[in-house]
């Protein structure tokens, strides 16, 4: 009798087990989308530039896929986030610059996931007014946010929190995942403020990073001889346009003593406001590290040449910028460990990226905005053990335009037809090598801070074409194979006449494909005015 029961049970298991396994395989993945702010790909050690070490972010490259030529459609904080959410170019979703309002009533991929049974959360920086729509839970920084003891808007209510912003953001993400409904898949947008200006590291990192020295980029002293008006007139030079107090951390009293003038009207105020958020103990720790640096600067400044001063400011910039990256990397490690400890790592897609690229002294610059490589390109690493083999690399021209349709695709949801991006899931999983051969870029925030002129353009595997307009009418063409640093504009070079024609024709086709036009340019000019 028992043998018969055992045989029956065995037969039932034989029939049911494959069904259970298939169901497990079809379980919808969780999604953790990590986006830092202004994190240059040069400052992710997996990309091989040797500036710093990011062991936890590098884990995603080792355990998943690293995209080496991921780009953005508009290298600016808020517009980049709008493109992420909507899967549409700035001229379609309406968020053309940091000043334009964003219409939260339009559809976005988080709303679509909600409608398809996902729990959703947005935690960290969004840099757009209004209560984020599409999220069951939101805890977002106000505007740019603060590094020390920051204010958050938690589900519509303002709340000041004690601690360092990168740590707080990480902890809130883990707390939300921990308290989710375990019966439903989840998607959380984990948005770090760092390493955005004014680059204030966690106090545990300041002693280490202020003692470090970093290699100078080859173009730190770029003179822009073979470039147009836009590069020559942009206001993002580390020596000339970076704030002394807010950015380089020179106290306002020392600025006055040395006769250093504010470049931006909020220079001294930024220093006072940022450090004023600290407790007495925190400020004492800060002063114990930074005040000796400033005493040394006070002694040497009168004899420093302009080149020496640029070099000094570059090192100060890198120390603080890369110091803020350290806490971001630690947060990624904490998240990955949490997923593993809670058996969530196998069925969770983890994306690491930034809202755009950033200049780390290349061309003597800080900031972003231009279509040149350091600003256009962004880090992108994706881990999903169920579909993505470890250690993969792709040089495909993927964009932030593609995030929404890709995440929807992984979730088993068909992206809406009006999304302009494409799912790069087949690239990530190795199902295809076919992909677009050109990406399109627009930039509108001019005249404004940093004075980067309005432009649009395309990039292919080898060439880049840029049109600057509004108060100029200038074209630039670069051969990225021969000139990866983009030092020589070859638009008028007769030997590239065929390439120029090909790229102009391709630009026209791409603009039509994405429904952009000269009329759009004029419409946004009028809006700015």
């Amino acid at each position: 009798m028992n043998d018969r029961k055992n045989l029956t049970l065995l037969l039932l298991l034989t029939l049911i087990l494959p069904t259970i396994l298939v169901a497990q395989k079809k379980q919808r993945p969780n999604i953790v989308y990590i986006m830092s702010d202004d994190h240059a790909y040069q400052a992710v050690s997996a990309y091989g530039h040797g500036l710093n070490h990011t062991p936890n972010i590098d884990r995603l490259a080792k355990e998943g896929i690293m995209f080496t030529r991921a780009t953005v459609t508009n290298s600016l904080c808020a517009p980049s986030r709008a493109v992420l959410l909507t899967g549409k170019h700035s001229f379609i979703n309406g968020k053309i610059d940091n000043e334009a309002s964003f219409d939260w009533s339009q559809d976005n991929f988080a709303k679509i996931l909600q409608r398809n049974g996902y729990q959703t959360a947005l935690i960290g920086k969004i840099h757009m007014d209004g209560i984020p729509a599409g999220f069951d839970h939101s805890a977002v920084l106000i505007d740019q946010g603060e590094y020390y003891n920051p204010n958050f808007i938690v589900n519509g209510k303002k709340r000041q929190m004690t601690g360092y912003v990168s740590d707080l953001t990480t902890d809130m993400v883990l707390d939300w995942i921990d308290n989710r409904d375990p019966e439903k898949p989840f998607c959380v947008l984990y948005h770090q403020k760092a390493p955005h200006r004014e680059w204030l590291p966690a106090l545990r990192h300041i002693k280490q990073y202020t003692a470090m020295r970093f290699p100078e980029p080859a173009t730190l002293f770029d003179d822009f001889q073979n470039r147009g008006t836009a590069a020559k007139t942009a206001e993002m030079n580390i020596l000339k346009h970076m704030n002394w107090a807010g950015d380089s951390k020179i106290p306002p009293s020392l600025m006055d003593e040395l006769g250093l003038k504010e470049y931006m009207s909020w220079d001294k105020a930024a220093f006072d406001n940022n450090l004023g958020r600290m407790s007495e103990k925190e400020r004492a720790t800060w002063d114990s590290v930074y005040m000796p640096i400033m005493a040394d600067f006070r002694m040497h400044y009168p004899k420093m040449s302009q080149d020496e001063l640029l070099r000094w400011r570059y090192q100060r910039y890198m120390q603080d910028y890369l110091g803020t990256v350290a806490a971001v990397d630690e947060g990624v490690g904490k998240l990955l460990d949490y997923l593993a400890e809670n058996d969530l790592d196998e069925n969770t897609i983890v994306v690491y990226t930034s809202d755009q690229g950033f200049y780390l002294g290349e061309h003597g610059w800080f900031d972003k905005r231009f279509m040149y490589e350091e600003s256009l390109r962004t880090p992108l690493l994706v881990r999903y053990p169920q579909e993505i083999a470890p250690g993969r690399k792709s040089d495909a021209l993927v964009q932030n335009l593609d995030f929404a349709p890709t995440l929807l695709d992984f979730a088993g949801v068909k992206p809406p037809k009006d999304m302009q991006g494409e799912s790069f899931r087949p690239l990530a999983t190795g199902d295809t090598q076919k992909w677009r051969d050109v990406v399109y870029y627009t930039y509108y925030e001019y005249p404004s801070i940093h004075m980067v002129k309005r432009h649009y353009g395309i990039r292919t595997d080898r060439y880049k074409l840029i049109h600057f307009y509004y108060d100029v009418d200038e074209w630039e063409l670069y051969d990225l194979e021969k000139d990866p640093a983009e030092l020589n504009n070859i638009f008028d070079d007769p030997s590239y006449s065929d390439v120029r024609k090909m790229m102009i024709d391709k630009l026209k086709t791409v603009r039509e494909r994405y429904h952009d036009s000269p009329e759009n340019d004029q419409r946004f000019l009028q809006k700015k005015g």
Side-chain angles (χ1 to χ4, degrees):
M1 186 69 176
N2 286 336
D3 289 343
R4 184 178 295 175
K5 285 183 178 179
N6 289 337
L7 181 60
T8 302
L9 180 62
L10 182 62
L11 288 170
L12 284 172
L13 286 173
T14 304
L15 293 171
I16 294 171
L17 190 58
T19 304
I20 294 173
L21 292 174
V22 168
Q24 287 178 338
K25 285 183 180 180
K26 290 184 177 180
Q27 183 182 2
R28 290 181 295 174
N30 304 308
I31 300 166
V32 179
Y33 174 90
I34 312 169
M35 185 165 69
S36 52
D37 194 318
D38 293 344
H39 191 180
Y41 62 89
Q42 309 95 290
V44 174
S45 48
Y47 283 88
H49 290 263
L51 271 179
N52 62 335
H53 186 41
T54 51
N56 296 298
I57 299 172
D58 290 359
R59 281 171 61 184
L60 296 174
K62 294 174 183 175
E63 299 169 8
I65 184 169
M66 178 170 70
F67 289 90
T68 61
R69 290 195 301 192
T71 63
V72 297
T73 61
N74 184 347
S75 186
L76 202 58
C77 296
S80 179
R81 286 162 168 74
V83 170
L84 154 70
L85 289 167
T86 64
K88 301 174 185 177
H89 276 278
S90 301
F91 49 86
I92 300 294
N93 68 51
K95 186 63 176 168
I96 60 168
D97 57 27
N98 281 339
E99 299 173 18
S101 61
F102 178 68
D103 180 9
W104 281 104
S105 70
Q106 65 184 303
D107 212 3
N108 66 52
F109 85 91
K111 291 182 181 181
I112 298 170
L113 288 177
Q114 275 186 323
R115 295 197 295 268
N116 285 272
Y118 269 75
Q119 301 164 89
T120 60
L122 168 59
I123 299 172
K125 180 177 175 181
I126 190 62
H127 198 200
M128 293 192 288
D129 292 339
I131 303 300
F135 301 95
D136 302 309
H137 174 80
S138 64
V140 298
L141 293 161
I142 302 170
D143 194 39
Q144 297 288 2
E146 304 95 1
Y147 275 102
Y148 304 126
N149 305 316
N151 292 303
F152 282 83
I153 302 295
V154 182
N155 296 322
K157 295 181 180 180
K158 184 177 178 180
R159 178 180 163 195
Q160 184 172 7
M161 299 186 181
T162 302
Y164 184 65
V165 67
S166 299
D167 301 337
L168 292 168
T169 302
T170 300
D171 289 345
M172 283 191 286
V173 167
L174 298 185
D175 183 66
W176 182 81
I177 297 174
D178 213 31
N179 289 283
R180 77 196 189 283
D181 180 350
E183 299 302 315
K184 296 180 180 179
F186 68 83
C187 173
V188 57
L189 306 191
Y190 168 16
H191 287 191
Q192 291 284 24
K193 168 186 169 57
H196 193 278
R197 193 180 188 184
E198 283 88 12
W199 315 299
L200 296 157
L203 294 179
R204 64 183 177 273
H205 294 134
I206 58 176
K207 187 174 182 179
Q208 174 190 354
Y209 278 85
T210 55
M212 297 174 74
R213 292 295 177 269
F214 300 94
E216 296 175 359
T219 57
L220 182 63
F221 293 92
D222 194 349
D223 59 9
F224 306 106
Q225 281 301 304
N226 297 312
R227 263 68 44 82
T229 305
K232 293 173 183 175
T233 59
E235 298 178 358
M236 4 197 270
N237 181 266
I238 291 171
L239 175 59
K240 298 176 182 177
H241 306 122
M242 188 176 277
N243 285 337
W244 292 103
D247 294 335
S248 294
K249 313 306 187 296
I250 297 172
S253 59
L254 183 55
M255 283 180 62
D256 294 340
E257 179 184 341
L258 298 176
L260 300 173
K261 304 299 181 183
E262 287 186 301
Y263 172 66
M264 300 299 297
S265 60
W266 40 267
D267 183 1
K268 294 178 181 179
F271 181 94
D272 292 335
N273 293 339
N274 289 328
L275 273 61
R277 304 188 66 82
M278 293 180 174
S279 68
E280 187 175 333
K281 183 179 179 181
E282 289 169 334
R283 183 61 188 268
T285 301
W286 171 277
D287 286 347
S288 71
V289 174
Y290 281 88
M291 289 307 103
I293 296 171
M294 297 310 147
D296 182 76
F297 177 74
R298 179 180 181 273
M299 180 174 62
H300 289 97
Y301 173 73
K303 296 181 181 180
M304 293 172 75
S305 68
Q306 292 295 290
D307 286 358
E308 289 170 334
L309 193 54
L310 173 56
R311 287 193 163 102
W312 184 87
R313 298 201 76 182
Y314 167 74
Q315 293 298 331
R316 281 273 52 253
Y317 171 35
M318 287 296 93
Q319 290 164 356
D320 290 344
Y321 177 96
L322 296 172
T324 66
V325 171
V328 173
D329 184 71
E330 288 173 352
V332 172
K334 194 171 182 180
L335 169 84
L336 296 179
D337 290 345
Y338 172 91
L339 294 177
E341 291 162 6
N342 289 274
D343 297 322
L344 292 169
D345 51 337
E346 288 297 313
N347 195 44
T348 299
I349 299 164
V350 180
V351 178
Y352 186 86
T353 189
S354 177
D355 52 354
Q356 62 259 324
F358 212 69
Y359 294 105
L360 302 184
E362 298 89 358
H363 310 292
W365 287 339
F366 67 105
D367 207 69
K368 57 263 185 177
R369 300 166 193 267
F370 273 113
M371 196 187 165
Y372 303 133
E373 286 295 280
E374 294 85 1
S375 170
L376 176 70
R377 285 172 55 185
T378 189
L380 176 57
L381 308 102
V382 185
R383 188 189 77 172
Y384 182 33
Q386 287 197 17
E387 291 194 21
I388 301 173
R392 297 195 66 232
K393 285 186 180 181
S394 172
D395 61 1
L397 295 172
V398 298
Q399 287 196 290
N400 58 345
L401 189 71
D402 304 319
F403 288 147
T406 299
L407 296 177
L408 290 174
D409 187 7
F410 273 115
V413 180
K414 188 174 181 179
K417 291 182 179 180
D418 62 350
M419 279 190 175
Q420 296 180 302
E422 302 174 46
S423 171
F424 56 74
R425 181 183 183 181
L427 286 175
T429 58
D431 290 341
T432 184
Q433 295 297 316
K434 293 180 180 179
W435 192 246
R436 66 167 69 95
D437 63 353
V438 61
V439 291
Y440 183 52
Y441 181 88
T442 58
Y443 178 78
Y444 301 94
E445 194 170 281
Y446 176 89
S448 187
I449 185 172
H450 298 302
M451 298 301 283
V452 173
K453 294 186 182 298
R454 293 173 181 238
H455 58 289
Y456 58 84
I458 56 171
R459 186 206 196 279
T460 66
D461 285 348
R462 178 168 177 175
Y463 300 106
K464 183 181 295 181
L465 178 68
I466 310 173
H467 181 215
F468 294 96
Y469 65 101
Y470 181 69
D471 60 341
V472 294
D473 182 11
E474 297 182 0
W475 292 82
E476 295 183 5
L477 177 65
Y478 295 96
D479 184 339
L480 300 172
E481 183 178 290
K482 294 183 178 179
D483 179 26
E486 297 167 298
L487 299 177
N488 297 294
N489 175 18
I490 54 172
F491 187 80
D492 293 322
D493 186 334
S495 65
Y496 281 89
S497 60
D498 290 342
V499 172
R500 180 174 66 243
K501 183 180 183 307
M502 178 268 291
M503 290 294 284
I504 290 174
D505 290 344
K506 192 177 287 287
L507 174 62
K508 181 180 178 182
T509 300
V510 168
R511 296 196 85 188
E512 290 174 352
R513 179 192 310 160
Y514 288 122
H515 310 294
D516 200 8
S517 65
E519 289 73 28
N520 260 349
D521 301 336
Q522 291 301 313
R523 177 163 60 95
F524 292 127
L525 290 180
Q526 293 167 4
K527 189 173 183 179
K528 185 75 175 180

